[in-house]
Amino acid sequence: MINRVIEWHCSKHPSYHLSNQPNNESEGMLNQLVQEILLPLESKFGEIDITYGFTSHPLLRYILQNSPGDMAPDIDQHAAMELNSRGNRICKRDGASCDFYIRGYENKMDEVTKFICTNLQFDRLYFYGKDRPIHISVGPESTRFALIRKKRSDGVRVNSKSAKGSATRTLFDDL
């Protein structure tokens, strides 16, 4: 499973040919993500498709140059514990994250989100809609912070509702 989180870019960015290997600290956090989040989800719901996973510094630079989109590398935890070219952490939150679908639940990701909030320990969860991938992370703070992001009529994503801790269990009830 960790290989799918690391090699996610092979299908999404096939022209990228440099390494995307994590350092030891990042690999530890990625293993935690797999053990505490992805394997329990796969056991409960079925096969997971990683749509955005671990992002090393070279891969991040490539993405920023070729398809930046809606990114926040300094807080999204996709870079895990990686360092930039100046030797500083890319993400100030530490931890590790990925975005994913579960096969057969591509239009019911709210069900997966409710399960996560009720049963799993996580740091951050970003919900973009029932038919969109979920962003999930683990980290040293384990804040259990969940955020619903919606698209405005002009296509820009904006923050909607959020909750923290046990309050996340009811955040998605009205979807």
Side-chain angles (χ1 to χ4, degrees):
M1 171 79 72
I2 193 169
N3 288 337
R4 290 190 291 184
V5 177
I6 295 170
E7 297 171 3
W8 69 275
H9 65 284
C10 293
S11 61
K12 197 164 188 177
H13 301 284
S15 61
Y16 177 79
H17 298 293
L18 299 175
S19 173
N20 190 43
Q21 290 304 305
N23 66 30
N24 288 338
E25 284 184 288
S26 292
E27 188 171 351
M29 294 307 301
L30 291 166
N31 277 317
Q32 182 180 342
L33 178 68
V34 167
Q35 294 299 316
E36 294 180 9
I37 304 291
L38 300 179
L39 288 178
L41 287 174
E42 196 163 67
S43 176
K44 171 76 175 167
F45 294 100
E47 190 168 354
I48 292 175
D49 288 326
I50 305 296
T51 61
Y52 201 108
F54 169 71
T55 308
S56 64
H57 185 247
L59 178 56
L60 175 61
R61 287 189 8 222
Y62 174 86
I63 293 168
L64 288 171
Q65 291 173 356
N66 294 283
S67 59
D70 185 17
M71 296 177 60
D74 60 328
I75 60 171
D76 67 16
Q77 296 167 294
H78 284 292
M81 311 294 279
E82 297 297 301
L83 304 177
N84 63 22
S85 57
R86 293 189 172 145
N88 299 316
R89 287 264 163 80
I90 295 169
C91 180
K92 61 186 175 190
R93 288 194 174 132
D94 294 337
S97 71
C98 70
D99 298 8
F100 68 94
Y101 279 115
I102 294 182
R103 290 189 190 170
Y105 286 82
E106 293 90 344
N107 293 303
K108 303 180 284 186
M109 292 303 286
D110 57 317
E111 293 179 29
V112 177
T113 301
K114 289 175 188 176
F115 176 83
I116 292 169
C117 291
T118 303
N119 299 288
L120 302 177
Q121 187 62 38
F122 61 95
D123 189 33
R124 303 206 174 244
L125 182 151
Y126 302 144
F127 181 80
Y128 300 103
K130 294 178 182 185
D131 62 344
R132 303 291 306 151
I134 295 170
H135 171 94
I136 190 75
S137 72
V138 295
E141 295 180 15
S142 292
T143 61
R144 294 185 54 83
F145 175 81
L147 173 67
I148 298 173
R149 298 196 74 203
K150 295 187 175 187
K151 266 192 181 177
R152 295 188 317 213
S153 59
D154 62 2
V156 174
R157 287 187 196 159
V158 294
N159 296 346
S160 178
K161 299 188 317 185
S162 66
K164 193 172 181 180
S166 61
T168 62
R169 292 181 179 143
T170 58
L171 180 64
F172 302 95
D173 287 349
D174 298 331
L175 296 179

